[in-house]
Amino acid sequence: MAGTAFSTSCNLGRCWLVVKTHNARSMPGKLVSQCKMRKKFTIKAEIKFVTADDAKELVKVDGYNVLDVRDKSQYERAHIKTCYHVPLFVENTDNDPGTFLLRTVHNNFSGLFFGIPFTRPNPDFVQSVKSQIQPETKLLIVCQEGLRSAAAANKLEDAGFQNVACITSGLQTVKPGTFESVGSTELQNAGKAGLVQIQGKISAVLGTVLICAYLFITFFPDQAEKLIQLVPAG
């Protein structure tokens, strides 16, 4: 509109739009609180995804605190020393028919072969974290494969945490000695359990036996031939 000017005016935390026409009349617009205006221009910090080596620097140099969101069993096998532990998923012990059926199927497959407990989302996750850690704290969130830590980071970012980082692909990529750890195994192996772990040990033993047999036949062919002759014919 020709001869029309727009400006804003603020007083006591409230702002409004002023329209001035060609004859200098003021037409105040709708009041808008500064709080609402600030909310519109809030910029959320991005979650950092870093390598295990970079994560070590964040902890040692930049003062990041470690939050472990794995389940209790993986945490007990191995975890970073002096870390917080709030699981994103907790064991589901409900006994309604549907849950009982799902738990039975899970325990006979994933639970049996991989040692993964039957879980459900932790309804108190965010509140539990906030009760221990202030939102302005620099936080490195870790899990075994990287998926749970990313989900946890999104939840905490929505809850007001702005300095959040995760290890890409999780603790399974952490080399021994990168972090000071506590537990019965290395951090990278904390996710291995169940029959898969037993199968891995059996394969390692069989592999060792086969290598020894090959070396024996290679370096001691005469003795190997005599041993073979001792084997009863089928």
Side-chain angles (χ1 to χ4, degrees), residues 77 104-117 191-200:
R77 289 185 203 119
T104 301
V105 173
H106 170 89
N107 290 340
N108 287 323
F109 291 93
S110 298
L112 179 63
F113 286 94
F114 301 103
I116 302 173
K192 298 177 181 178
L195 292 180
V196 169
Q197 184 182 31
I198 297 174
Q199 181 183 16

Side-chain angles (χ1 to χ4, degrees), residues 167-186:
I167 299 178
T168 304
S169 298
L171 293 175
Q172 64 181 357
T173 64
V174 175
K175 298 178 182 178
T178 302
F179 294 98
E180 187 177 359
S181 62
V182 178
S184 59
T185 186
E186 298 289 349

Side-chain angles (χ1 to χ4, degrees), residues 219-231:
F219 292 102
F220 305 99
D222 295 337
Q223 289 84 346
E225 184 177 358
K226 291 179 180 179
L227 288 175
I228 293 174
Q229 291 174 354
L230 292 176
V231 177

Side-chain angles (χ1 to χ4, degrees), residues 84-96:
Y84 295 94
H85 179 231
V86 181
L88 184 63
F89 292 89
V90 292
E91 188 172 359
N92 190 346
T93 58
D94 294 343
N95 287 316
D96 60 275

